[in-house]
Amino acid sequence: MNELRDYYRGRIRERIAELEPLSAELAAGRAGDGERSAVRQVAHQLKGTGASYGFPAVSESAAVVDGAADDDLAGALADLLAVLHAELAEET
Amino acid sequence: MKLLVVDDDPDALVLARFALERRPGCSVVTASDAAGAVEAMRRERPDAVLLDFYLGEHDGLDVLARLAAEDTGSGEEDRPEVIFLTGKGEEVKDCLLAAGARGVIAKPFDPATLAQTVADLLGAKIDPGRE
């Protein structure tokens, strides 16, 4: 299982790199349907795999983003990014 | 037992392959979209299909219908069973079973028990392999 956790930690880094620019767009009020859809797609995938790889907090936080209304999306994504960063920090 | 796993999330495919292929006698082929699933079913003739409910622009019922329409070349009884993987769980379970799915596995799934869960749904014997 350790090899799976190591693999997923690498994927968390990649997901952060995908999500941070989208988070900035959302926070600045510049995000459109495409950006919101991209955020929800990544969150949906993280929801479906995080706990399986041993990161239940990732699944829980991603589920909030996946189900968030447009007005709540920026806040939920900021929370998810905090969880992703915390998971990486915990392992180092 | 050969299983076709269909999911548009590469991390889900990595996990499913790891969880299933550690069981002796289990082999996994994968596809990441509906067209790939149909192609893999023709080419690989799997015993069963594990199908993510949300597959890009297609939902699972669309893909299930496409797979069911495929000519397996060996009759209805040899058509692979379809088991859905979904985060929706109980919300959609009855609908998927009524549409012809053999079972529904909730995501996120436990990789330690996935192979046994699949075997139980298929009524198949499976080597416990490495724990």
Side-chain angles (χ1 to χ4, degrees):
Chain A
M1 199 61 195
N2 282 344
E3 63 196 278
L4 284 178
R5 284 181 65 86
D6 289 344
Y7 164 82
Y8 203 66
R9 264 200 302 280
R11 293 290 292 148
I12 285 175
R13 286 189 192 91
E14 293 173 13
R15 295 305 205 176
I16 289 172
E18 283 178 72
L19 290 172
E20 283 189 333
L22 295 166
S23 179
E25 292 295 303
L26 279 169
R30 293 193 299 263
D33 288 346
E35 285 81 8
R36 283 190 287 272
S37 175
V39 167
R40 289 195 174 95
Q41 184 182 8
V42 173
H44 181 77
Q45 294 182 339
L46 288 169
K47 178 181 81 169
T49 56
S52 296
Y53 278 95
F55 297 88
V58 171
S59 282
E60 289 166 19
S61 185
V64 175
V65 177
D66 190 30
D70 285 355
D71 288 347
D72 301 326
L73 195 58
L77 178 55
D79 291 345
L80 172 59
L81 280 164
V83 168
L84 295 175
H85 280 293
E87 293 290 5
L88 290 183
E90 212 168 273
E91 302 280 348
T92 53
Chain B
M1 177 164 53
K2 183 188 281 188
L3 300 167
L4 168 61
V5 184
V6 187
D7 201 307
D8 62 352
D9 181 359
D11 298 332
L13 294 178
V14 166
L15 188 68
R17 183 184 291 281
F18 172 87
L20 296 167
E21 287 193 337
R22 60 212 287 257
R23 303 301 174 127
C26 255
S27 65
V28 171
V29 292
T30 63
S32 58
D33 56 26
V38 171
E39 172 58 28
M41 197 165 98
R42 287 180 188 148
R43 187 182 63 243
E44 301 287 347
R45 301 193 176 278
D47 300 299
V49 182
L50 271 64
L51 178 61
D52 183 38
F53 182 70
Y54 288 108
L55 207 54
E57 62 211 40
H58 300 280
D59 78 23
L61 291 173
D62 291 340
V63 181
L64 181 65
R66 288 180 67 173
L67 294 179
E70 278 296 297
D71 180 5
T72 60
S74 52
E76 187 69 29
E77 66 277 7
D78 289 327
R79 192 175 298 284
E81 301 281 3
V82 174
I83 296 169
F84 274 100
L85 302 168
T86 176
K88 287 286 186 184
E90 296 300 318
E91 286 177 53
V92 295
K93 184 175 181 179
D94 289 345
C95 175
L96 297 176
L97 294 177
R102 182 62 178 256
V104 177
I105 295 174
K107 289 175 82 173
F109 56 76
D110 180 354
T113 59
L114 179 66
Q116 190 60 56
T117 302
V118 169
D120 289 346
L121 287 169
L122 296 174
K125 285 194 167 37
I126 190 166
D127 190 314
R130 290 177 288 134
E131 291 300 330

